[in-house]
Amino acid sequence: MANDALDTDNAWDLVLSAINRSNITLPVPGSDQPAVKINGKSWELVQPASEQARNLLSLFLPLCQPVTNNSRVIGQLGQSLDGRIATVTGCSRFINGDDGITHLHRIRALCDAVVVGAGTASTDNPRLTVRRTSGRNPVRVVIDRRQRVPASHHLFTDGDAPTLHLIAGDYQPGPKTLDPTGVTTVPCLGSAENETPASPERILQVLQDFGLRKIFIEGGGVTVSSFLKAGLLDRLHVMVAPMIIGSGRPAFSLPEIDQLDEALRPKAQLVNLGSDMLFDLAFDTAKP
């Protein structure tokens, strides 16, 4: 292996080995030859690697860093060329291709919890587990103030991973215990009559109380936008599919601006996933 270029399988094994580790040299899988040196937020590849392997490392090694603050939050949106994440009826399966879906599963494998809103959970009936790659399942979190996600959906019935069901009610802060195989219902989202999106700050507080600090906001657009508006996203992956829908639900729902200097312009990396183009947007570089 030492004389061969690292491939995507090798690169993914290295990523899994890097979770919550820093200031370490990781060997080539199955060898004692050094492959990647990780120093704080930077990393150096010391073995030849394919372009796909390099891209994979550049996308996912930053997500592996130990969490030094209260939380690290990664968001994602899968959209069409014209910025739609679903049709007017809510149909979104599947805008992104196979490579984009595999990318989604890889992010799940690196996070403590994966979060979706009630609309996404109700319409898509997702499993939110890791099936297209190796890695562990995250805790599944559904923001469901009015308890409108059907009780028959996978998140509540399959037992493949723990589920946190966040609903209306007053929250009592403090350390919490998670049901390791079932559903834990947590009243925490205030009044059921409230029409505004659930507070991202409150959601992160609840997850921290359960010991969940590396958080993946998988959807939908309103939920991701609420975290972006609150300045709580450290990273955002936007996957763009070669598809034009023409109408439907927009990816972002943010306050209107008058001047372009008010627009968000994060540091960006563009990666060809194969079926989709990925914009890897780093918002954490602007944070102290």
Side-chain angles (χ1 to χ4, degrees), residues 76-79 92 94-98 100-101 239-241 275-276:
Q76 83 83 33
L77 288 169
Q79 66 172 53
S92 63
F94 290 103
I95 290 176
N96 296 107
D98 278 352
I101 296 170
M239 292 185 290
V240 182
S275 62
D276 306 273

Side-chain angles (χ1 to χ4, degrees), residues 22 57 85 92 116 135 143 161 164 171 196:
S22 62
L57 292 169
I85 60 171
S92 63
V116 294
I143 305 167
L164 278 179
Y171 183 61
T196 61

Side-chain angles (χ1 to χ4, degrees), residues 7 9 11 33 62 87 94 122 150 164-165 182 185 200 218 224 258 284:
D7 59 19
D9 289 338
Q33 295 289 326
T87 66
F94 290 103
S122 297
L164 278 179
H165 189 199
T185 300
E218 186 167 319
V224 173
D258 295 320
D284 53 356

Side-chain angles (χ1 to χ4, degrees), residues 239-263:
M239 292 185 290
V240 182
M243 174 188 293
I244 298 173
I245 298 176
S247 62
R249 300 181 182 179
F252 295 99
S253 302
L254 296 171
E256 294 181 357
I257 61 172
D258 295 320
Q259 303 295 328
L260 285 179
D261 59 8
E262 302 174 70

